[in-house]
């Protein structure tokens, strides 16, 4: 089928119609002037790295705001394998969060955002492993696809393609694939299936963005010969913005809240260094665009447009930007007559936004509700106001996805706020709103996106939108707005969310992991939620026949959209150990619904809906526990407390400020969450109380922290040095260094089988130096490396036990890895003895 390339590029371009999640942009006259300057520059740079937060925001901001280049960032992954400092979401859900954080970052620094299909499977120690787990050819195809669409004059790699094994394997792989692509993107015989949408493209030159980090220290970098490097002075102070380039970059970098990358702005001289990797060498090493025509002359018939935009800039009235509108519309009309499609599409979009900003044109398509369902009618309130003296007429509107045009012919007089009703009809085939890269089955290393056109698009694809066709100074210009839902929050004020298409009904098994003993019965709660009014049906649990469920199903009736009902099934486990996926199935009429609606809603990003299978993991496991009361101190955020409750423990999450000798008396064990000492500075002041708790005869379990200045010297009762050692291969063979130690024998007999089925990694940030009082329990290693012995360290202290562990319990427990439950039970039971403690058996 023939596809219109111009329309496709519009889909690919990042829209700046909303900032601060979805709040509409209301441009200042200074911002509009800068946008016109950018409209008169036809050059582009693509920055390439591996993860969200890898990008150099100083350089992206400089290229976008100082040079005025169209600047993009291609992150090969969405950061799914990292840790989360703001909540419990991991893996795909964390990738959704980090995707939105990158989009917010680009709104601040002026760049555009792109991705490949590569799945961030966690830390990788070398590019060989990375490119094996990723599909190297498919990720390379995505890099080439992005370059062919974006058509960068210059590519900048964040990492060095020659240094495999010295940094994260994803990092080096991003540079390897970028460097490899340089000579391939202009070859029509390579990935020819892309050429129905894009054309071959040859980038002029490619650089590696080096810095002191790659030299090992600032001192070594200062002493290095930089004569062959290009230098960019990026410490620009933007007088019309009142900010330095570094201050803008810091705001952008601070968008990465889930990674704890809040950044303080700086001022003054700043230099970025670039090493040429491919392409034409520079004579003037400070000019990346040397030999590249970045004026409108590069487009056939474009010279008059450039001259007109230069005139507009020269005569721009900061007190009345609307004085430029007539000539801006003329420039827009001239662009529509061009034959070339790439810059025509980009600059048309830029001019539309500039014209809207200069006239104070405010357009909004607001739905009466935030959630709708397929085969329904969405009622809208449209708003249009022209806050300038420029004559305008709203000729018509076009609603999507039904592509229906409605004639309006209403004059938009100065400051006359026009509102009128409209509607969008969603067909029965309308897809639910969710991240498009999560719709199809994925692998450990790759997401599946079958539709070539969608690959690389950063955000959720939302079809519900309204185009306002407005005649401005004699020319009809289409202004497109996505449909939003807005409401007033008593604290935050006006809040905007996008319209979400939801299933007519969803369900959720409340506990995602349930542990059973042999023949044990448990109450399993399932919540059913209505996506429309008057929904009636049946909900059932789907389990293998050896698992007994009563009743077989429940009928339900929900009168209003958004209502929910919780039903409770009695589930009995089989006599033999078993691990199964339980599924919740809702039947309405002749249709079945199997999705669980997950909402991710943080203030710094756009609200997200993710639809997952309504499933949980039920495990009949040979697990013995001792009666223990546990105090849990949260760190960066994890779901370990919920897992401990599933094991049968009494768990209290305590506020660090409340830690005292008396408050801890009620507990047998204290567990600190992941990165607790990195994220809770107050904890260092409570450390002596915690160590005294151990000394009195209790147990303290410290989960992993990263090496940093926040770690107190007395994090342990004896000397302990936290390193960056880790074992990333979840299947690495494990050796028991102390096979007779009680932590491997009571109350569960731990075997190497307990380390089977682990996910993403065994552990991270192991201590590499520790006092002789510590007994190392486990040893394992990634391929080709020396054994790492610091995964689990146990030391008696006074009458109690202190434990430090880098094992990734925070990943294993929420997905139901039975061996992780068994080992953690033993750690918790260190202070127990078979003669004094009652033991509960989960067979």
């Amino acid at each position: 089928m023939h596809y219109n390339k111009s329309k496709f590029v519009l889909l690919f371009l990042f829209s700046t119609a909303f900032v601060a999640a979805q709040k509409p942009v209301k441009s200042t006259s200074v911002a509009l002037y800068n946008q016109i300057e950018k409209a008169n520059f036809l050059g582009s740079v693509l920055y390439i790295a591996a993860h969200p937060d890898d990008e150099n925001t100083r350089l992206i901001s400089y290229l976008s705001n100082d040079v005025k280049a169209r600047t993009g960032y291609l992150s090969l992954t969405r950061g799914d394998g990292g840790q989360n400092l703001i909540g419990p979401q991991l893996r795909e859900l964390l990738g959704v969060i980090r995707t939105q954080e990158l989009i917010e970052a680009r709104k601040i620094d002026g760049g555009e955002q792109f991705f490949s299909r590569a799945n961030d499977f966690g830390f990788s120690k070398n590019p060989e492993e990375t490119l094996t787990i990723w599909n190297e050819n498919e990720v390379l195809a995505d890099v080439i696809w992005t370059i062919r669409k974006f058509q960068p004059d210059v590519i900048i790699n964040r990492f060095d393609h020659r240094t495999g094994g010295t940094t994260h394997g994803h990092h080096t792989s991003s540079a390897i694939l970028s460097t490899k692509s340089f000579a391939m993107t202009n070859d029509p015989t390579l990935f020819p299936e892309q050429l129905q949408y894009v054309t071959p493209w040859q980038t002029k030159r490619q650089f590696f963005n080096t810095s002191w980090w790659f030299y090992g220290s600032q001192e070594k970098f200062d002493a290095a010969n930089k004569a062959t490097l290009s230098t960019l002075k990026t410490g620009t102070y933007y007088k019309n913005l009142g900010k330095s380039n570094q201050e803008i970059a810091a705001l952008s970098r601070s968008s990465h809240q889930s990674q704890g990358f809040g950044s303080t702005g700086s001022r003054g001289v700043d230099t970025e260094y670039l090493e040429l990797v491919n392409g034409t060498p520079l004579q003037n090493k400070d000019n990346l665009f040397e030999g590249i025509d970045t004026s409108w002359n590069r487009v056939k018939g474009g010279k008059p447009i450039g001259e007109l935009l230069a005139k507009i800039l020269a005569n721009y009235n900061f007190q009345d930007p609307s004085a430029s509108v007539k000539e801006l519309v003329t420039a827009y009309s001239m662009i529509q007559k061009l034959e070339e499609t790439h810059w025509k599409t980009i600059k048309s979009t830029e001019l539309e936004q500039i014209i809207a900003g200069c006239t104070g044109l405010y357009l909004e398509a607001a739905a009466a509700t935030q959630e709708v369902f397929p085969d329904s009618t969405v009622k809208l309130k449209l708003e249009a106001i022209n806050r300038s003296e420029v004559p305008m007429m709203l000729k018509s509107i076009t609603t999507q996805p039904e592509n229906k045009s409605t004639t309006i012919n209403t004059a938009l007089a100065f400051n006359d706020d026009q509102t009128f009703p409209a509607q969008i009809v969603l067909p029965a085939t309308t897809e639910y709103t969710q991240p498009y890269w999560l719709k199809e089955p994925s692998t450990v290393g790759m997401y599946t996106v079958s539709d070539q056109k969608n690959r690389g698009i950063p955000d959720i694809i939302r079809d519900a939108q309204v185009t306002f066709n407005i005649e401005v100074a004699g020319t009809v210009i289409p202004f497109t707005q996505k449909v939003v839902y807005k409401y007033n929050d008593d604290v935050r004020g006006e809040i905007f969310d996008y319209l979400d298409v939801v299933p007519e009904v969803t369900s959720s098994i409340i506990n995602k992991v349930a542990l059973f003993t042999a023949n044990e019965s448990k109450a399993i709660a399932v919540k059913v939620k209505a996506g429309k009014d008057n929904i009636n049906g049946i909900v059932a649990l789907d389990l293998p026949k050896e698992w007994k469920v009563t009743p077989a199903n429940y009928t339900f009736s929900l009168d209003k959209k958004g209502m929910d009902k919780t039903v409770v099934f009695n589930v009995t486990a089989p006599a033999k150990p078993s691990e199964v996926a339980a599924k919740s199935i809702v039947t309405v009429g002749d249709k079945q619904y199997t999705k669980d609606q997950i909402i991710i809603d943080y203030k710094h990003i756009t609200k997200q809906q993710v639809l997952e299978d309504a499933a949980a993991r039920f495990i009949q496991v040979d697990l013995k526990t001792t009666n223990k009361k546990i105090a849990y101190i949260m760190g960066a955020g994890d779901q370990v407390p919920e897992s401990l409750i599933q094991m049968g423990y009494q768990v209290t999450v305590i506020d660090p400020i409340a830690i005292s000798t008396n408050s801890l008396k009620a507990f047998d064990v204290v567990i600190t969450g992941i990165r607790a000492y990195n994220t809770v500075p107050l904890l260092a002041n409570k450390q002596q109380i915690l160590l005294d708790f151990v000394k009195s005869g209790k147990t303290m379990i410290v989960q992993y922290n990263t090496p940093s200045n926040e770690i107190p010297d007395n994090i342990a009762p004896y000397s302990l040095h936290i390193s960056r050692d880790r074992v990333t291969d979840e299947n690495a063979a494990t050796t028991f260094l102390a096979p007779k130690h009680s932590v491997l024998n009571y109350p569960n007999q731990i075997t190497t089988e307990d380390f089977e089925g682990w996910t993403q990694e065994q552990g991270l940030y192991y201590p590499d130096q520790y006092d002789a009082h510590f007994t190392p329990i486990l040893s394992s290693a990634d391929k080709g490396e020396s054994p790492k012995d610091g995964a689990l360290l146990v030391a008696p202290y006074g009458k109690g036990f202190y434990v430090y562990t880098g094992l990734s319990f925070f990943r294993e427990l929420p997905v139901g890895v039975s061996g992780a439950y068994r080992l953690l039970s033993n750690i918790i039971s260190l202070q127990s003895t078979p003669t004094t403690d009652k033991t509960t058996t989960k067979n």
Side-chain angles (χ1 to χ4, degrees):
M1 181 179 70
H2 177 71
Y3 193 85
N4 186 302
K5 293 181 183 178
S6 298
K7 289 183 179 179
F8 171 63
V9 177
L10 275 174
L11 282 174
F12 192 76
L13 289 174
F14 175 67
S15 170
T16 57
F18 290 87
V19 293
Q22 304 86 357
K23 287 191 175 181
V25 170
K26 298 168 186 176
S27 297
T28 66
S29 61
V30 168
L32 290 165
Y33 181 83
N34 291 338
Q35 290 172 33
I36 299 170
E37 282 189 310
K38 196 160 188 173
N40 209 23
F41 188 96
L42 277 68
S44 54
V45 180
L46 182 63
Y47 200 89
I48 298 179
H51 309 109
D53 72 43
D54 283 346
E55 79 275 23
N56 185 338
T57 55
R58 296 184 306 277
L59 192 49
I60 290 175
S61 176
Y62 169 79
L63 292 167
S64 179
N65 297 305
D66 193 321
V67 180
K68 307 299 181 186
R70 183 181 178 221
T71 307
Y73 174 44
L74 170 58
S75 175
L76 295 193
T77 77
R78 296 177 183 267
D80 327 75
Q83 284 83 52
N84 184 359
L85 294 184
I86 62 173
Q89 297 87 358
L90 293 174
R91 291 301 304 140
E92 289 81 4
L93 297 183
L94 176 59
V96 170
I97 292 171
R98 298 189 72 186
T99 292
Q100 292 302 312
E101 289 177 338
L102 268 184
I103 290 171
E104 294 302 320
R106 298 295 80 78
K107 292 176 185 179
I108 295 168
D109 60 34
E112 299 174 36
Q113 186 60 51
F114 312 108
F115 295 96
S116 83
R117 288 169 290 162
N119 191 339
D120 180 359
F121 56 84
F123 190 87
S124 177
K125 293 183 176 178
N126 58 73
E128 291 77 21
E129 178 194 50
T130 297
L131 295 174
T132 299
I133 297 175
W134 289 351
N135 184 319
E136 178 177 357
N137 194 59
E138 290 297 302
V139 181
L140 176 63
D142 287 354
V143 173
I144 290 173
W145 167 250
T146 303
I147 293 170
R148 285 173 170 174
K149 284 187 298 184
F150 192 74
Q151 296 188 13
D153 299 303
V154 176
I155 291 174
I156 300 175
N157 299 335
R158 165 76 282 189
F159 299 104
D160 191 345
H161 63 287
R162 300 158 296 194
T163 55
T166 62
T167 181
H168 196 319
H170 297 181
H171 292 169
T172 310
S173 294
S174 71
I176 289 172
L177 294 176
S178 175
T179 303
K180 188 175 181 180
S181 73
F182 187 83
M184 302 173 71
T185 53
N186 203 32
D187 187 342
T189 67
L190 298 175
F191 307 109
E193 68 279 1
Q194 299 178 1
L195 300 183
Q196 59 182 313
Y197 310 113
V198 294
T199 58
W201 177 255
Q202 183 58 61
T203 299
K204 187 78 169 180
R205 52 182 66 95
Q206 183 178 53
F207 296 93
F208 156 48
N209 181 199
T210 190
S211 69
W212 70 265
W213 190 85
F214 295 94
Y215 284 71
S217 69
Q218 186 67 53
E219 292 73 21
K220 290 180 180 179
F221 187 57
D222 290 342
N225 181 3
K226 306 182 190 65
T228 61
L229 303 180
S230 295
T231 57
L232 301 179
K233 302 297 182 182
T234 56
T236 305
Y237 173 65
Y238 302 110
K239 297 178 182 178
N240 55 8
L241 299 177
K243 292 185 179 72
S244 70
N245 187 68
Q246 302 99 307
E247 288 170 322
I248 294 173
L251 291 171
S252 172
R253 190 153 184 79
S254 296
S255 297
H256 297 295
Q257 293 186 22
S258 67
Q259 300 302 291
F261 277 1
S263 183
T264 300
S266 60
R267 292 145 291 279
V269 175
D270 196 20
T271 305
E272 289 293 332
Y273 297 90
L274 303 177
E275 177 187 346
L276 185 69
V277 174
N278 279 311
T280 310
L282 294 171
Q283 299 301 312
N284 176 5
K285 295 190 182 302
D286 299 336
N287 179 14
L288 300 187
F289 290 95
E290 182 182 80
I292 302 169
D293 191 347
T294 59
S295 74
W296 274 95
N297 294 341
R298 77 183 296 172
V299 175
K300 181 181 178 182
K303 183 178 180 181
I305 300 170
E307 292 172 344
L308 178 55
L309 290 173
K311 177 184 175 184
I312 293 170
L313 286 166
N315 297 325
Y316 184 78
N317 185 344
F318 284 89
Q319 300 301 316
D320 181 16
S322 67
S324 300
V325 168
K326 184 176 180 180
E327 289 180 309
L328 285 168
V329 172
T330 299
Y332 175 85
S333 299
M334 294 166 69
I335 292 172
Q336 306 317 302
K337 298 174 183 177
L338 296 175
E339 297 177 8
E340 193 268 1
T341 59
H342 178 71
W343 287 109
K344 176 181 178 179
T345 303
I346 294 166
K347 297 303 177 181
S348 293
T349 302
E350 290 180 8
L351 265 291
E352 289 164 10
Q353 295 170 355
I354 291 168
I355 291 166
C358 285
T359 58
L361 179 63
Y362 182 88
L363 302 170
E364 182 179 277
T369 182
Q370 198 262 319
E371 294 184 343
V372 296
F373 55 93
D375 196 19
S376 65
T377 299
V378 184
K379 295 187 181 300
L380 304 177
K381 177 183 176 182
L382 305 186
E383 180 181 0
I385 182 169
N386 168 22
R387 290 174 285 187
S388 75
E389 300 288 353
V390 176
M392 289 189 193
M393 176 172 284
L394 177 56
K395 303 289 288 184
S396 65
I397 62 167
T398 304
T399 54
Q400 300 293 353
E402 76 266 45
N403 196 31
K404 179 183 177 182
S405 183
T406 303
T407 301
I408 304 293
N409 284 334
T410 295
L412 299 180
F414 170 65
N415 218 28
D416 181 15
D417 197 11
Q418 300 276 345
T419 60
F420 43 93
Q423 65 181 33
I424 290 177
V425 178
L426 298 178
T429 55
T430 301
E431 292 191 353
Y432 303 133
T433 303
Q434 62 175 319
Y436 70 90
W437 59 95
L438 298 181
K439 290 182 180 180
E440 302 177 71
S442 62
T443 66
V444 172
M446 295 293 294
Y447 287 116
T448 302
V449 182
S450 298
D451 191 338
Q452 176 72 59
K453 301 185 301 298
N454 291 344
R455 294 174 185 173
I457 294 176
D459 206 354
I460 287 174
I461 299 170
R462 299 178 186 272
D463 295 326
Q465 55 188 22
V466 176
T467 298
F468 297 76
N469 301 298
I470 298 178
E471 185 178 303
V472 184
T475 296
V476 177
I477 302 175
F479 298 92
T480 299
Q481 297 291 327
K482 295 176 184 177
V483 176
V484 298
Y485 170 73
K486 66 176 185 178
Y487 63 96
N488 184 72
D489 181 274
D490 289 343
V491 175
R492 298 164 61 193
E494 189 176 45
I495 303 296
F496 287 80
D497 288 324
Y498 286 121
L499 180 73
D500 283 338
V501 182
V502 306
E504 290 86 334
V505 62
T506 56
S507 65
S508 175
I509 303 175
I510 302 301
N511 291 318
K512 302 306 178 188
V513 174
L515 302 180
F516 292 79
T517 61
N519 300 313
E520 180 184 10
S521 296
K522 277 193 173 185
I524 300 296
V526 177
K527 183 171 71 175
V528 182
K529 180 183 176 183
K532 60 182 289 189
D533 293 342
N534 300 317
I535 195 84
N536 304 286
I538 299 170
V539 58
L541 273 181
D542 180 30
L543 279 164
K545 63 181 181 180
E546 63 267 22
W547 289 74
K548 306 302 180 185
V549 182
T550 57
N553 57 61
Y554 281 97
T555 59
F556 68 90
S557 179
L558 298 170
D559 296 334
K560 295 293 183 181
K561 179 175 65 177
M563 289 181 62
D564 61 67
K565 180 179 181 179
T566 298
V567 298
V568 178
F569 293 92
N570 187 68
V571 176
T572 303
K576 295 181 178 180
S578 173
E579 298 185 14
V580 298
K583 298 179 181 178
S584 172
I585 299 176
V586 180
T587 304
V588 178
D590 60 355
K591 189 173 181 180
Q592 289 189 336
Y593 297 87
T594 60
K595 292 299 181 182
D596 182 359
Q597 182 192 47
I598 297 170
I599 300 298
I600 300 175
D601 193 8
Y602 291 101
K603 292 180 181 179
H604 68 298
I605 59 174
T606 298
K607 179 181 176 182
Q608 301 289 292
Q609 170 181 275
V610 179
L611 298 175
E612 293 186 345
D613 290 336
R617 191 171 179 83
F618 289 179
I619 307 172
Q620 198 277 71
V621 59
D622 180 14
L623 171 66
K624 302 178 183 69
T625 62
T626 54
N627 291 336
K628 294 290 179 183
K629 294 181 179 179
I630 298 173
Y632 200 91
I633 304 168
M634 294 300 296
D638 58 58
Q639 295 175 296
V640 174
E642 292 93 327
S643 299
L644 292 168
I645 292 170
Q646 275 291 320
M647 295 169 73
Y649 294 113
Q650 297 179 50
V651 181
T652 302
V653 176
I654 59 173
D655 187 334
I657 200 170
I659 294 173
S660 67
T661 300
N662 285 333
S663 69
L664 295 182
K665 284 183 178 179
F667 301 103
D668 304 296
V669 178
V670 167
I671 302 178
T672 62
I674 60 173
R675 298 175 70 172
Y677 288 92
N678 299 124
T679 59
V680 186
L682 177 63
L683 202 53
N685 298 330
K686 302 288 186 175
Q687 188 62 15
Q688 192 56 53
I689 295 173
L690 293 169
L691 293 179
D692 288 343
F693 169 82
V694 177
K695 196 173 186 178
S696 70
K698 306 297 180 69
T699 298
M700 182 178 182
I701 304 167
V702 178
Q703 296 183 84
Y704 94 93
N705 291 268
T706 61
S708 67
N709 294 330
E710 294 95 354
I711 305 298
D713 292 337
N714 65 336
I715 187 174
Y718 311 108
S719 62
L720 180 81
H721 177 261
I722 300 171
S723 74
R724 297 190 175 275
D725 287 350
R726 61 174 77 204
V727 177
T728 62
D729 182 0
E730 61 270 31
N731 299 312
T734 302
T735 300
F736 295 167
L737 299 175
K740 295 183 179 181
H741 197 288
S742 62
V743 78
L744 294 177
N745 294 281
Y746 180 78
N748 302 286
Q749 186 73 40
I750 303 300
T751 72
T752 55
E753 291 181 359
D754 288 299
F755 289 89
E756 295 176 1
W758 285 50
T759 181
Q760 185 164 324
E761 63 200 354
Q762 276 194 5
L764 62 172
Y765 297 106
Y766 294 169
D768 61 349
Q769 299 173 33
Y770 37 86
D771 187 90
H773 284 87
F774 284 104
T775 299
I777 305 298
L778 306 171
S779 180
S780 61
D782 286 322
K783 184 178 179 180
E785 293 193 356
S786 60
K788 304 296 185 291
D789 299 343
L792 178 59
L793 302 174
V794 180
Y797 180 61
K799 299 178 181 179
F801 287 94
Y802 177 95
V803 179
Y804 190 96
T805 180
L807 292 171
S808 59
F809 288 112
F810 73 104
R811 294 196 189 280
E812 314 312 323
L813 299 177
V815 297
V817 177
S818 57
Y821 281 98
R822 286 163 45 82
L823 179 58
L824 183 58
S825 173
N826 282 19
I827 298 172
I828 292 170
S829 301
L830 274 168
Q831 198 58 32
S832 304
T833 66
T835 58
T836 60
D837 255 321
K838 180 180 177 183
T839 299
T840 301
T841 300
K842 289 189 181 293
N843 186 37

